[in-house]
Amino acid sequence: METLSETGAFGGVQGVYRHASDACGCDMTFAVYLPPAARAGPVPVLWYLSGLTCTHENAMTKAGAQGWAAEAGIALIFPDTSPRGEGVANDEAYDLGQGAGFYVNATEAPWAPHFRMWDYVVTELPELVFDRFPLDRARQGITGHSMGGHGALTIAMTHPQTYRSVSAISPIAHPAASDWGRKQFTAYLGPDESTWAPHDATLLMRDRGYPGPVLIDQGAADQFLHLLTPQALIEAAADRGQPCEFRMLAGYDHSYFYVSSVMEHHVRWHSAQLALVAVA
Amino acid sequence: METLSETGAFGGVQGVYRHASDACGCDMTFAVYLPPAARAGPVPVLWYLSGLTCTHENAMTKAGAQGWAAEAGIALIFPDTSPRGEGVANDEAYDLGQGAGFYVNATEAPWAPHFRMWDYVVTELPELVFDRFPLDRARQGITGHSMGGHGALTIAMTHPQTYRSVSAISPIAHPAASDWGRKQFTAYLGPDESTWAPHDATLLMRDRGYPGPVLIDQGAADQFLHLLTPQALIEAAADRGQPCEFRMLAGYDHSYFYVSSVMEHHVRWHSAQLALVAVA
């Protein structure tokens, strides 16, 4: 693991690192924010998964999470959104290929050799960061924006014993029924829609739910609301009596101005949930 | 208007009053809580509509609203849920007749002569209380529980310039499609379902929405969830980009233990919204 930068931020350290990823078969860059409390011992972790076209950098610089994380004594991890590099498949569209990994393990050509973002985020990167940083493995939460909200919800519902709190900001809530999803799942996973179901938050909510409360935030003026369809997810949640909080906030679009506006609520949500985890 | 009692509470006064109602053709009892700030001048108002089987008294004694209202400097008004008395029609069922007015003006026999709770709550009682108490007519919010949540939502969406903030706790969200609604609307309004639509929060949300944010709270362990169906309302809200906050909270049922648990959030919600009202 190579340190690209380490910078003081809100009394802690914002670092950017690069490593050779086995899962993705290329070098991957990620960012970690350690709050001041990490100097005294392992701190809880909030994974932040980013949206289409983003790298590790967008949320790190624009989501405004570090101040709240410092206050809460919680670390932030910002993975990249796809494999990258000259030998990695790509597409001219902004919503397929590099910058658009959708947090799945691709099985189809030409994507299968590198596009294994599920394994990268769920298995490989955790092993690395828990080995290198003072992080409490028993207290992990996960959140994300847009495509990253999709990733956070699907990963948390699949591994609820690992991710003990979950939230999403403007998530792609039902990709199997959206143009943000059907195209990419067809490309990465093939036309058999049964392989898509484990990667659709609404279908997972109908099938299993989540053992704790789920926070979903959505801007009412979001220009992509018709592609995000939070109503499908919330309906599925209410149908099963899933503890949840859904907010549709007036005047906000899909940008980081919105993400940063709700970040305090999300960091505090995760901090409160992770404080309830009973550790043996 | 007759004063039945006035009692100190959280620095203010909890009063219970009786008057002869023209709308309902009988004596009606209601409760008003005036916060300490009312001694200095008119204060904003939060109307609280109660649920099936309740009188003015249940929420007054069990919802735990007065302390938060005192802090916020907001008055509370607790109307009864139906006309009452020996000359007033009734039914043996708990969910029809006295205690179950559903906040409509009945047009059908034997209910039409007395069951005019819409007019009573929207027109007659406001005239009385604004005449007698130091209340700011320009700053009114409305909330309620169960059948009262239904009333709060339908009244606010019909008169948004009067009720400048709205929330509901475990509301009957789509009565035209619920056994808590179809029976009563048939009895009070007749079989023509077009007369029901103005009294169905989900249909009103699809038709017009509300010009400000809407707060809906629901207990995840509510034994009546299948009759309340908040998911229909929230789906309609999300479909139109209605600013809203929907919470489904783990471990809570339909009781006043739940109502009192969320009352702080509701009183503060209304206080914050009413503070934004521009008064000429």
Side-chain angles (χ1 to χ4, degrees), chain B residues 8-173:
Chain B
F10 293 92
V13 177
Q14 178 63 64
V16 180
Y17 309 93
R18 183 164 57 205
H19 70 120
S21 165
D22 288 336
C24 295
C26 63
D27 282 355
M28 293 291 283
T29 302
F30 64 95
V32 175
Y33 175 70
L34 290 179
R39 291 197 291 273
V43 292
V45 180
L46 178 57
W47 293 85
Y48 182 101
L49 304 185
S50 287
L52 288 165
T53 77
C54 291
T55 69
H56 70 282
E57 190 178 27
N58 303 65
M60 177 184 79
T61 57
K62 296 194 292 185
Q66 289 90 345
W68 305 116
E71 179 188 89
I74 194 168
L76 304 167
I77 304 180
F78 304 96
D80 202 347
T81 60
S82 79
R84 296 182 190 273
E86 288 198 2
V88 176
N90 202 2
D91 189 275
E92 290 184 357
Y94 76 98
D95 61 357
L96 189 68
Q98 296 186 30
F102 263 80
Y103 306 101
V104 301
N105 292 332
T107 56
E108 305 299 298
W111 312 107
H114 296 282
F115 281 75
R116 301 186 61 80
M117 287 301 293
W118 180 276
D119 280 356
Y120 178 69
V121 168
V122 171
T123 304
E124 185 180 29
L125 188 56
E127 289 303 323
L128 180 65
V129 298
F130 284 111
D131 186 54
R132 301 297 180 95
F133 299 98
L135 304 175
D136 181 355
R137 190 186 281 269
R139 298 181 196 269
Q140 298 181 64
I142 190 165
T143 187
H145 174 232
S146 196
M147 179 182 74
H150 144 75
L153 291 166
T154 55
I155 288 171
M157 282 191 275
T158 305
H159 296 295
Q161 294 309 311
T162 301
Y163 304 93
R164 306 299 291 264
S165 62
V166 60
S167 73
I169 301 168
S170 319
I172 302 176

Side-chain angles (χ1 to χ4, degrees), chain A residues 30-244:
Chain A
F30 65 95
V32 175
Y33 175 70
L34 291 179
R39 290 197 291 272
V43 293
V45 179
L46 178 57
W47 294 85
Y48 182 101
L49 303 185
S50 287
L52 288 166
T53 77
C54 291
T55 68
H56 69 282
E57 188 178 27
N58 303 66
M60 177 183 81
T61 58
K62 297 194 290 185
Q66 288 91 346
W68 305 117
E71 179 187 88
I74 194 169
L76 304 167
I77 305 180
F78 303 96
D80 202 346
T81 60
S82 79
R84 296 182 190 272
E86 288 199 1
V88 176
N90 202 2
D91 189 276
E92 289 184 359
Y94 76 97
D95 61 357
L96 189 67
Q98 296 186 31
F102 264 79
Y103 305 102
V104 300
N105 293 331
T107 56
E108 304 300 297
W111 313 106
H114 297 282
F115 282 75
R116 301 186 60 80
M117 287 301 293
W118 181 275
D119 280 356
Y120 178 69
V121 168
V122 171
T123 304
E124 185 180 27
L125 188 55
E127 289 303 322
L128 180 66
V129 297
F130 285 111
D131 185 54
R132 301 298 181 93
F133 299 98
L135 305 175
D136 181 354
R137 187 185 284 267
R139 297 182 197 270
Q140 299 181 62
I142 191 164
T143 189
H145 174 233
S146 195
M147 179 182 74
H150 143 76
L153 291 165
T154 55
I155 288 171
M157 282 191 275
T158 306
H159 296 294
Q161 294 309 312
T162 301
Y163 303 93
R164 306 300 289 265
S165 62
V166 62
S167 73
I169 302 169
S170 317
I172 301 175
H174 192 12
S178 169
D179 287 341
W180 274 355
R182 296 189 63 83
K183 168 185 172 180
Q184 295 81 2
F185 287 176
T186 302
Y188 298 145
L189 303 174
D192 176 2
E193 296 193 17
S194 70
T195 66
W196 305 0
H199 298 287
D200 184 290
T202 296
L203 298 177
L204 287 168
M205 183 59 76
R206 292 219 172 275
D207 182 54
R208 61 177 74 183
Y210 182 75
V214 177
L215 168 62
I216 308 287
D217 255 319
Q218 174 64 55
D222 193 317
Q223 60 270 47
F224 302 113
L225 191 55
H226 62 292
L227 294 164
L228 302 168
T229 63
Q231 54 272 57
L233 175 61
I234 297 305
E235 189 188 16
D239 278 347
R240 68 179 300 120
Q242 168 69 52
C244 62

Side-chain angles (χ1 to χ4, degrees), chain A residues 220 225 230-231 234-235 237-239 241-250, chain B residues 220 225 230-231 234-235 237-239 241-250:
Chain A
L225 191 55
Q231 54 272 57
I234 297 305
E235 189 188 16
D239 278 347
Q242 168 69 52
C244 62
E245 177 174 318
F246 171 60
R247 305 192 305 176
M248 181 166 279
L249 300 176
Chain B
L225 191 54
Q231 54 271 57
I234 297 305
E235 188 189 15
D239 278 347
Q242 168 68 52
C244 62
E245 176 173 319
F246 171 60
R247 305 192 306 176
M248 181 166 279
L249 299 176

